[in-house]
Amino acid sequence: MHNLRFRSLITFTSLWLIGRQRSSCVEDGTAIGDTKSQAWNNDWDQGNPMAAQVSEGQKSKASRHIIMVRHGHYKKSKTSGDQLTDLGRQQAKWTGKRLREWNISWDQVVVSTMTRAQQTSEIILKELNFDPRSVIHTDELREGAPYLADPPSRARRQKLEESIRRDGPRIEAAFRRYFYRAPPDQERESFLLIVCHSNVIRYVILRALQLPPEAWTRLSLNHGSITWLTVHPTGYVSLRFMGDSGFMPVQQLSSRCRRDSGLKPAKVIQNRS
């Protein structure tokens, strides 16, 4: 565990330095350099002891499916903590029903320890055939600032960098812990369900697809939406879909929350043609 956290810190620091260099180039108006995409690295997960170790002649035989759910709509409160709203609870119920329709036999369920994620998972699990006592609750998946974004955030630079230094290595550790090819003794495909947060999901999507992590703010996820990534035996990673919420009524879609609200979620623009 400590070795994994150390590797995560090293990886995050390297990515951080590259991100700062790119950001400085953009701010100065200078060229960033070669814009050609880098070749896919099949051995991206070899730092994780759970993965089949290619250098030792091990071969993975099965795919690992990682399904991520963003928590439901919630109300921000400094006094009572972040709690799901009635809308958020209904969204979680829709998500649970959608997952149940797939008739998946879940191998593992992992949930962020933040209240809104815990409440969402409790509602979802009522729809699934999975023992709640087997759920893994982890601080690594808590919401935070994963990486220096491009385009830059409007937040004060010093405060933002402090948040990223605090949260980034932790979120990178979560990526390394749960994203890897199947071990050699895994004979069949497996299914991991993760219930967590928008920033975390957006970051790990880009890391898994080997795309620039600074682009995470360019992606958007609705509350209760589902994202499906597959890690194939070769180390190749594919995104089946991202942020699916089409199983919910249009009137119940939302993506943002406001503090101490009885405020309605953002309106959804509909095609009137």
Side-chain angles (χ1 to χ4, degrees):
M1 180 179 293
H2 293 295
N3 186 43
L4 180 62
R5 289 178 178 175
F6 177 73
R7 288 177 179 270
S8 301
L9 180 59
I10 295 298
T11 301
F12 173 79
T13 302
S14 300
L15 291 170
W16 167 266
L17 292 174
I18 293 172
R20 284 183 63 89
Q21 183 179 20
R22 287 176 176 170
S23 178
S24 297
C25 290
V26 171
E27 290 174 358
D28 295 342
T30 57
I32 294 178
D34 187 6
T35 58
K36 294 181 181 179
S37 61
Q38 295 182 349
W40 177 266
N41 176 18
N42 281 321
D43 298 333
W44 58 276
D45 61 345
Q46 293 304 282
N48 190 321
M50 291 293 294
Q53 300 299 305
V54 177
S55 62
E56 298 177 12
Q58 297 179 350
K59 289 187 177 181
S60 182
K61 309 183 201 66
S63 294
R64 296 186 67 245
H65 302 283
I66 303 165
I67 292 86
M68 295 173 285
V69 172
R70 186 189 179 191
H71 57 78
H73 182 269
Y74 67 101
K75 180 173 67 174
K76 294 182 179 180
S77 174
K78 292 182 179 179
T79 55
S80 59
D82 297 345
Q83 305 283 330
L84 289 187
T85 61
D86 290 340
L87 173 62
R89 285 187 283 272
Q90 185 60 54
Q91 290 168 337
K93 191 170 184 178
W94 282 115
T95 303
K97 289 181 177 180
R98 180 63 164 179
L99 294 173
R100 184 185 64 195
E101 289 173 354
W102 293 342
N103 196 30
I104 289 174
S105 178
W106 299 98
D107 295 275
Q108 192 176 42
V109 177
V110 182
V111 184
S112 158
T113 53
M114 297 188 82
T115 301
R116 54 188 184 269
Q118 292 283 312
Q119 292 177 335
T120 298
S121 68
E122 289 169 3
I123 295 171
I124 287 175
L125 287 173
K126 290 178 181 178
E127 303 290 336
L128 304 181
N129 183 24
F130 191 87
D131 186 351
R133 294 171 297 181
S134 299
V135 173
I136 296 174
H137 306 273
T138 175
D139 291 336
E140 285 183 337
L141 290 169
R142 292 175 70 89
E143 186 63 303
Y147 197 80
L148 195 62
D150 180 23
S153 169
R154 295 179 181 178
R156 188 161 57 90
R157 178 74 176 232
Q158 181 179 352
K159 183 178 180 181
L160 179 62
E161 290 190 357
E162 289 175 356
S163 298
I164 294 172
R165 282 194 293 269
R166 179 193 66 220
D167 301 331
R170 168 178 57 80
I171 297 173
E172 173 64 24
F175 167 72
R176 284 177 166 264
R177 186 176 308 282
Y178 298 111
F179 289 78
Y180 56 89
R181 76 191 72 190
D185 59 348
Q186 181 177 317
E187 298 292 338
R188 62 171 182 82
E189 61 181 356
S190 61
F191 295 86
L192 164 63
L193 176 62
I194 295 177
V195 181
C196 59
H197 309 273
S198 178
N199 293 1
V200 176
I201 295 173
R202 290 183 288 173
Y203 174 78
V204 299
I205 287 173
L206 294 173
R207 288 286 286 117
L209 297 177
Q210 299 185 20
L211 296 173
E214 63 266 26
W216 67 273
T217 55
R218 305 175 205 174
L219 308 179
S220 180
L221 300 171
N222 283 338
H223 292 119
S225 63
I226 305 173
T227 296
W228 186 322
L229 276 164
T230 299
V231 183
H232 301 273
T234 59
Y236 180 71
V237 180
S238 60
L239 178 64
R240 177 174 287 192
F241 51 78
M242 186 191 84
D244 177 26
S245 56
F247 49 87
M248 297 185 195
V250 172
Q251 297 80 4
Q252 294 184 3
L253 296 178
S254 65
S255 61
R256 293 180 177 270
C257 295
R258 296 182 179 179
R259 188 170 300 280
D260 291 323
S261 74
L263 295 174
K264 296 180 180 179
K267 293 182 178 179
V268 177
I269 299 176
Q270 302 183 52
N271 187 346
R272 298 183 179 180
S273 60

